Amino acid sequence: MKGAPELVCGIEIHQQLSTRKLFCSCESRLCDEGDGAYFRKLRPTTGETGEIDRAALAQYKKGIGFRYQMAEGVSCLVDLDEEPPNGPDAEALETALVFSEMLHARIADEIHFMRKVVVDGSNTGGYQRTALVSTGGWVEVNGRRISILSVCLEEDAARKIEEKDGEITYRLDRLGIPLIEVATGPDIRSPEEAMETALRIGTLLRATKRVKRGIGTIREDLNISIPGGARVEIKGAQELRLLPDYVSNEVARQRMLLSVKEILNGRGTVPAETDIEDVTDIFTDSESKVIKGALSSKGKVLAVRLPGFAGVMNGDGGKLRLGSEMAQRARTRGVKGIFHSDELPAYGIEECYVNILKQRLGISGVNDAFAICAAPERKARSALAAAVERANEALEGIPEETRDPLPDGTSKYSRPLPGAARMYPETDVPPTEITAERLKEIRARLPELPEETEARLIRDHKVNKQQARQLVRQDFSDLFERACKAYGDMSAVIATTFLNTYSELEKAGVDTSSISEAGVMEIFSLLSESRFAKEALPDILREVASGTPPEKALDKLGLESLDDREAEMIIDSILKEREEFVRSRGKAAAGPLMGPVMESLRGKVDGKKASQLLSEAIARMIG
Amino acid sequence: MVYSEMLSKKLKEADAKEGSRISLRNGDEEYIGRLMPHHDFSAPDILILKMKSGYNLGIRVLEDSVIEVIERPSPVVVEREEPEPREGLPNFTLVSTGGTIASFVDYRTGAVRPAMSASELVDAVPELREIANIKARVLFSIFSENMEVSHWQELAEVVAEEINAGADAIIIPHGTDTMSYTAAALSFMLGDVPKPVVLVGAQRSSDRPSSDASSNMMACARFCAEGKAAGVFVVMHEGLGDDSFSVHTGSRVRKMHTSRRDSFRSVNVPPAATVSKEGVVKYCGEPRSPSEGEATARTAMDPRTVLLQYYPGMDPDVFGPVIMGSRGAVIAGTGLGHVGQPMCRVLKEACEKGIVVVMTSQCLGGTTNMNVYDTGRDLISAGVISVGDMLPEVAYVKLMWVLANSESAHEAKRMMAEPMANETGNRRCVL
């Protein structure tokens, strides 16, 4: 197809705000402990024709419910659905309006909150309150415009704490924290562009100075499809640096599935029947750990024929992996996994068993395959049915689905793509009119844009363009400025600390996020008083990251600065040991001797000072 | 607020009705969506459109905006089937009076409307039909704060009628705001009613999945299905979870919180029974057994009765005439049943005129006892009577009934002090 893009991708970002909760006055933060566990059931509500979904009602009647924990200081009766909502929080709304302006979006003349029905228990009322704030915005990413379809303001959901016997326990600390949801159009055309777009939107959000920071405060969803493919959503990515991987791996997965479809259609493969057979008797003596485990807990080994599916479940040197997709579906039915003929013999299942099984199932064709599952019978049956369903979907192409991001940059099947959720007005919250005057006020008071911050850093603190950009992108600009204001002549060291030292420490396994802002400021303070030499910064930071307060870290590492007299004495004794060398080289001895000198003085004396003292000491020695 | 004249005119000219898919053009901008009803608090020149995403957007309409209808709304037809009654199940009649529990939301518009038909109510909780055969009628559809004495009278008559027509229990969906007043009224009007008559409400609207409407109804139905207790009761959540429900004696219950699910509390006595989420009923004490006798509704009420809460500085010049113009006055006094001196004099005057003055306590919990302090003793001397641990609102309802069903102030006073529907008792334990 000429002119068709290779990749169609959009992202949706959910960012928590640092204001009070959206519909009550609780603080927006998480709590390590929960109290109580109120039991609630969420009832499937009547549909548009006035009927209740029978299947959903059957589940509800089983009596399975949810438990909700309160958390002190951060949850109240509104969160427990025991009081009507207040609000919306004025600061949160203002932030959404300001951010919309920064995206050049058209703000609604009147903002209406809706109830979006959610019955997985993560909202106590059974719905999420959400409002469309603006539409039609855009951001510029590497010279291209990426459209912003909508900016919404909504409440975050309760936090899942545990699941036991089908009953889920949630904590209400997170419920109600305001979220800004930004949805781009499907304009992104490369994996890197996805990350750049997310970075740009994130930077603009941070410029409002009203967003929360830290793990879990910003979540990205990716919508990806390729020509001939289908829209797949990867939901809940938290690490920005993995976004390009998620995109490129998903593109590869979809391309692989299109190849599989072509192969299967070329062979004339038709949908397999869900004709499940009990083949436990074949495997009673099998040495396979999985099978032995299943049989010893009264499970069975079930099998199903997959005519025409050989070679695509795991084929072409591992390039074709329909089997992995089938296994992911099967696992949602409660089994640990399935085996399929493309990967056997293996896993302790020997060739003889495979042959007997093939005979039993009547499989003789070179393109014919099978799948087996060893588990309690009901689950195994359900798992194989799911595997067959997925195999058959491969004949049509790529199914639309929602996938979970994994830490290695790949994703796994989560659930089918949800249909449009029922949304109706939140009648307890009056609408908010946005007048022309209000818009004027917002436009007059926009926060400093990232570009302006960068320019200011360059101008006021003498960092270069690259450093300024990184300080803003990596969210250090505020802290950097505060530190520079307090210790103006140290701006170079401060910049290097955040931009270089921190990442080096991270690579060495140190968790720099555990160094508090107050902590690093104190360290700079001690440095400004020459209490230690800047060469010791990495060591001190490492120590403080492990929990030691800065002053104690100095003690612990024995890094108290030496005054000039003490340093001279140490240098003199080093020169004494190497007197011959010094006398033979004269002033030039300084260079080679810096090494041993710095090692003895390390951290207690500034490098520049050490060099100066060394030169003076040499001069003294050679007269 | 209603639409502005300008906007109304434009809508009329375009023949744009609620539910139509319309296009709104403001200069370069065009919005397409479904026209939603005007919101009460919306600005007058704002149009609300439902977008394809489901979100509602409020857009300002200007003089030169253009509105065009793209598609007319299609009517939604709801098919309803009356199920056959099943053998072996008890027969309940649902007599709906309105309230949150009997309202539905139109999901397209968000508008809340009362139940159109009784079967609509039952269809919202289809599990009811597994416990009993349900006959349903909508008697009123009103917010309970708009209930009046005439409503209670009509309700009592219908309840008696239905019991005498064969109902094993009567379930009354009711707004929570004044549910306890109605419960008290029915307790006195129906007397020793031979079957359970249970009022039930909801604190959370039934459009939301978390609504307490259905679980309260089911707990109510399970209590009635056991058939072990006759009388007037109120069923609501016992606590904040959906696992436990209280059955309160109708003359002993009060709404004690504006919004919590467990806002209804029995005062001075424990609830008559509790129902678990599995439907297990535990009774407190011996319930009065149901019987096959006739139900009668004695509905005469004297509305010339007032209920006043005493507060420091209450002006006898303002309230004297109010009390003197009544036939009976219930005072929610302070503490053990006291009022300030100036009001004491008013109450004495009223008693001398033959007005029945009844003292209760605004503390709600505990019993009045006017023997303990001088003030109380003065009130007794003046002719004011104590009704023990009766709630002020219940005393007010009872007094209306007593005044209409007695021949003299003396008889009325005697009847007030005597329990007739468990509304007062002589023992209070640590609860």
Side-chain angles (χ1 to χ4, degrees), chain A residues 458-475:
Chain A
I458 296 170
R459 196 181 58 232
D460 295 348
H461 302 290
K462 313 281 186 291
V463 290
N464 66 40
K465 195 159 177 209
Q466 173 67 352
Q467 286 176 310
R469 187 140 190 268
Q470 285 309 317
L471 283 169
V472 168
R473 264 162 71 114
Q474 292 178 37
D475 199 20

Side-chain angles (χ1 to χ4, degrees), chain A residues 39-41 43 45-46 49 61 81-82 106 109-110 112 115 124-125 127 130 422-425 433-434, chain B residues 29 42-43 48 50 53 55 58 60 107 124 127 130 204 207-210 240-242 259-261:
Chain A
F39 174 78
R40 289 281 171 79
K41 285 165 70 166
R43 187 183 181 81
T45 48
T46 50
T49 53
K61 279 157 82 168
D81 187 44
E82 291 294 349
R106 161 65 159 110
D109 296 318
E110 203 173 70
H112 288 252
R115 289 184 187 166
T124 44
Y127 52 80
T130 170
R422 175 194 293 293
M423 267 214 275
Y424 59 100
E433 194 189 355
I434 309 294
Chain B
E29 296 177 339
S42 234
I48 304 171
K50 190 184 249 317
S53 58
Y55 280 102
R60 195 165 288 116
Y107 288 110
E127 315 92 281
E130 281 161 37
R204 301 273 87 77
D207 61 280
R208 68 184 82 184
S210 63
L240 298 180
D242 294 337
S259 60
R260 279 168 64 137
R261 279 164 174 68

